[in-house]
Amino acid sequence: MPPRARSAWTRTLGQLVLVLAAALLLGLVSGQVGLALALAALGVVAWHYWRLRRVLARLSSRQRQPVAEGNGVWNELERQLRENQENMRARKRRLVAMLRAYRAAAAALPDAVAVVERNSQRVQWFNEAATSLLGLRYPQDIGQPLGERLQTLQISHWLTAGRNAEPLLDAPSPVSSDIRLDLRLIPYSEDLWLVVARNVTKMMRLEQVRRDFVANVSHELRTPLTVVHGYLDMLDPDEHPEWAPMLSEMQLQSQRMTQLVEDLLTLSRLEAQDGIDSETVAMGSMLSTLRREAEALSQGRHVITLEDSAGVDLRGSTKELHSAFSNLVSNAVRYTPADGTIAIRFAREGGGAVLSVQDSGYGIPAAHLPRLTERFYRVSTSRSRESGGTGLGLAIVKHVLNLHHARLEIASEVGRGSLFSCHFGAERVQAPDAASHGAAS
Ligand code: ADP
């Protein structure tokens, strides 16, 4: 007990003793000791009850009342109660202010935010941007299942995936299909999820402008390049032998530029595509073509092997897959010194299939592997240029495989060689047309 409370208590006890002593004295004087003591005790009890009533009244009253002066036990009790009450009020005020500040911050976010109950998928709360981006309306939509409210987005299934839900990218907003949204599901507690939708319309537009720009520039460059290339071909180095080295360098560079423009156009075309043809890709003839191309590029400097243990065909675009595979083969030839080996393999993997190109060439340091499929990313620019590379080959490979829902895996060791493999799912594999395959080596 704090000293102040203890002294209040002793003081009140002292007062009681005094009252009783006075009553005893009065009783002795009047000869009615019992009556005097009983009356005094009754008086004390009545006073205590009255004070108790005051404390109760004070507790239930909303108004602040001044604490009576005095240092008895009841006044001390009232003082302490008042202190506690004020502390609690101040804490409540602080918490309310904090809650308001958080709500105001969430409401002011440019991204749509909605709090959803995990089991029922019902909306508990949402901010202003959720109205403009997701079309949620206050108060009607509070307590409504989010999946039903955003039916056009078909997100019920996505919501069920919960923790495993991948972000939904570039989805049309239910308010207007001109607004594009990236949706993310954040399970932030056991029972509550946060759905965050970001407006990416501008970014998508910029991306479109960038793509169109690259496509247009490449297209515009094509014609002048063809002209330059044509005239260069017409110039006869025998007429001016001193120009011969210059002419051949100019021809080489103009060929490089033409290849660069062609690769950029291919990439633009691939980027603009949402899906891909689904024709039969005859792998038998594809593999022999790849081998022929490898041999032509290598010109006998490498040992080239071909192995087809899969004996199946693929579904997709023959043209695009050929461009992807031949990029891998040409890289293998270009980045493998003479006398190296290059193995092209086509094999089954579970229900799917893998096409791999392995070389015994220079290899790639591990730090470069994650960025290899970026445009113009090269491990060694000079080696790439010398061998006629544009820096776009693997970017094309990645795009083509993405369109086929396939994935590219790269394993490499410096000085020992690299393995590029394209993994296709079961849905891309189909039984071959008769006699289109034959194991080769
Ligand atoms: P490039 O036209 O320069 O070959 P790519 O996109 O095809 O461009 O490849 C990107 C880079 O990856 C190359 O510059 C090269 O450094 C590296 N690379 C690709 N394939 C191989 C390989 N088989 N062996 C070693 N390095 C490779």
Side-chain angles (χ1 to χ4, degrees):
M1 208 181 334
R4 198 171 147 164
R6 193 177 313 131
S7 75
W9 188 78
T10 9
R11 201 165 294 121
T12 307
L13 194 66
Q15 282 167 357
L16 178 67
V17 172
L18 271 180
V19 168
L20 288 181
L24 186 66
L25 204 68
L26 256 168
L28 284 176
V29 171
S30 63
Q32 297 274 1
V33 176
L35 186 65
L37 277 179
L39 279 177
L42 262 178
V44 168
V45 169
W47 181 76
H48 277 298
Y49 265 95
W50 177 71
R51 290 306 304 259
L52 184 62
R53 193 172 170 278
R54 245 182 68 172
V55 170
L56 283 178
R58 190 180 282 275
L59 271 182
S60 40
S61 149
R62 295 192 136 261
Q63 283 165 6
R64 285 192 201 178
Q65 289 160 3
V67 177
E69 284 298 315
N71 39 22
V73 80
W74 286 107
N75 285 343
E76 180 59 24
L77 182 68
E78 278 183 15
R79 219 180 345 261
Q80 286 202 13
L81 280 174
R82 162 93 177 264
E83 230 173 75
N84 279 356
Q85 248 178 349
E86 288 198 339
N87 283 348
M88 244 150 72
R89 277 201 189 117
R91 243 176 85 192
K92 209 163 114 186
R93 269 199 303 274
R94 270 205 311 276
L95 284 175
V96 168
M98 233 156 88
L99 198 68
R100 282 214 184 102
Y102 276 117
R103 287 231 161 167
L109 277 180
D111 296 347
V113 181
V115 175
V116 180
E117 280 168 36
R118 180 184 167 165
N119 293 327
S120 60
Q121 298 187 359
R122 287 179 197 282
V123 180
Q124 267 205 353
W125 178 87
F126 54 84
N127 67 353
E128 277 167 34
T131 305
S132 54
L133 295 181
L134 294 173
L136 293 179
R137 260 181 287 275
Y138 185 84
Q140 303 94 302
D141 289 334
I142 297 285
Q144 299 293 322
L146 189 69
E148 260 173 46
R149 277 298 292 115
L150 308 180
Q151 230 161 20
T152 47
L153 276 174
Q154 302 190 318
I155 60 166
S156 294
H157 190 66
W158 180 68
L159 283 173
T160 320
R163 230 163 260 283
N164 306 321
E166 290 282 322
L168 279 184
L169 300 179
D170 194 20
S173 153
V175 179
S176 148
S177 55
D178 288 339
I179 304 178
R180 312 300 294 186
L181 301 175
D182 277 1
L183 280 116
R184 254 158 242 277
L185 188 60
I186 306 165
Y188 73 102
S189 82
E190 277 296 305
D191 325 304
L192 296 176
W193 286 342
L194 208 59
V195 175
V196 181
R198 166 167 292 179
N199 187 349
V200 290
T201 319
K202 256 194 205 150
M203 243 160 58
M204 286 296 152
R205 261 193 218 129
L206 275 176
E207 180 70 7
Q208 188 61 45
V209 169
R210 182 192 64 81
R211 274 190 224 151
D212 290 351
F213 175 75
V214 174
N216 289 338
V217 168
S218 316
H219 200 76
E220 292 295 327
L221 284 175
R222 210 187 209 171
T223 322
L225 269 174
T226 319
V227 175
V228 172
H229 205 63
Y231 281 127
L232 279 174
D233 277 346
M234 279 164 59
L235 291 176
D236 186 0
D238 294 339
E239 285 179 20
H240 301 279
E242 71 279 18
W243 289 0
M246 272 185 279
L247 275 181
S248 77
E249 180 62 19
M250 281 160 86
Q251 259 160 353
L252 194 76
Q253 294 300 338
S254 92
Q255 260 160 15
R256 245 174 63 83
M257 273 172 87
T258 312
Q259 188 55 48
L260 205 72
V261 165
E262 291 306 323
D263 280 359
L264 279 172
L265 281 171
T266 307
L267 261 181
S268 301
R269 189 170 42 73
L270 290 172
E271 274 183 339
Q273 264 168 271
D274 282 333
I276 196 91
D277 304 343
S278 196
E279 61 195 20
T280 300
V281 182
M283 287 306 285
S285 57
M286 168 81 80
L287 292 169
S288 0
T289 312
L290 290 177
R291 185 190 183 159
R292 264 201 314 280
E293 285 174 354
E295 281 164 351
L297 260 174
S298 157
Q299 295 186 324
R301 287 175 296 134
H302 305 95
V303 179
I304 294 161
T305 64
L306 172 63
E307 220 175 275
D308 177 8
S309 62
V312 289
D313 284 340
L314 291 177
R315 287 204 72 74
S317 155
T318 308
K319 182 174 149 223
E320 312 297 8
L321 284 178
H322 173 247
S323 115
F325 298 154
S326 71
N327 262 311
L328 294 181
V329 169
S330 113
N331 280 352
V333 174
R334 287 168 37 230
Y335 298 110
T336 303
D339 296 331
T341 53
I342 288 152
I344 305 168
R345 295 193 194 93
F346 187 47
R348 295 301 300 265
E349 180 191 53
V354 195
L355 183 128
S356 61
V357 180
Q358 185 164 24
D359 63 57
S360 62
Y362 305 117
I364 305 157
H368 293 284
L369 293 182
R371 300 194 55 191
L372 224 51
T373 54
E374 288 173 22
R375 291 145 201 249
F376 298 116
Y377 190 88
R378 294 151 164 141
V379 178
S380 149
T381 313
S382 56
R383 190 175 276 166
S384 157
R385 290 221 171 106
E386 271 165 32
S387 60
T390 58
L392 294 170
L394 290 181
I396 293 177
V397 173
K398 189 178 153 200
H399 264 87
V400 170
L401 292 186
N402 276 352
L403 285 172
H404 286 85
H405 304 293
R407 68 175 201 283
L408 175 69
E409 274 181 19
I410 311 171
S412 188
E413 216 178 305
V414 176
R416 308 201 61 170
S418 316
L419 171 67
F420 287 75
S421 40
C422 313
H423 298 255
F424 291 87
E427 75 286 355
R428 289 279 157 194
V429 171
Q430 70 170 47
D433 290 341
S436 79
H437 284 258
S441 66

